[in-house]
Amino acid sequence: MLKLRIVSPEKVVFDGDIESITVPGTLGSFEILNNHAPIISSLGIGKVIYVTSKATEELDIQGGFVEVQKNMVELCVEV
């Protein structure tokens, strides 16, 4: 299980547990699963898709950054 926190300049968009997340990296989309290697990456325009235990959620973003460390995924995005 991953912990996800998505923040924008206006508010915290999401803070909770997820199973996986797909983000629009500037060089192409990529998926983050449990025990992913540590990474920091810039994000481009596109959809963030994250899977919780109850549903699959989508968020359109205009760009931002993602950091993954010890099953914690943090996104700072412009929505």
Side-chain angles (χ1 to χ4, degrees):
M1 188 69 55
L2 295 165
K3 297 269 188 203
L4 172 63
R5 183 173 173 89
I6 303 174
V7 296
S8 74
E10 296 83 28
K11 64 180 180 177
V12 175
V13 177
F14 181 85
D15 192 0
D17 293 330
I18 61 165
E19 295 175 6
S20 67
I21 182 170
T22 302
V23 295
T26 52
L27 297 177
S29 293
F30 61 95
E31 185 175 28
I32 299 165
L33 300 170
N34 199 33
N35 295 321
H36 195 283
I39 186 173
I40 296 175
S41 178
S42 58
L43 301 175
I45 296 171
K47 288 190 183 296
V48 173
I49 303 167
Y50 53 98
V51 180
T52 68
S53 60
K54 298 179 182 178
T56 299
E57 304 286 337
E58 292 186 5
L59 176 67
D60 289 317
I61 66 166
Q62 300 301 309
F65 294 91
V66 61
E67 179 181 12
V68 180
Q69 192 170 349
K70 297 180 182 176
N71 289 326
M72 177 68 183
V73 182
E74 295 182 284
L75 274 73
C76 180
V77 297
E78 185 74 33
V79 291

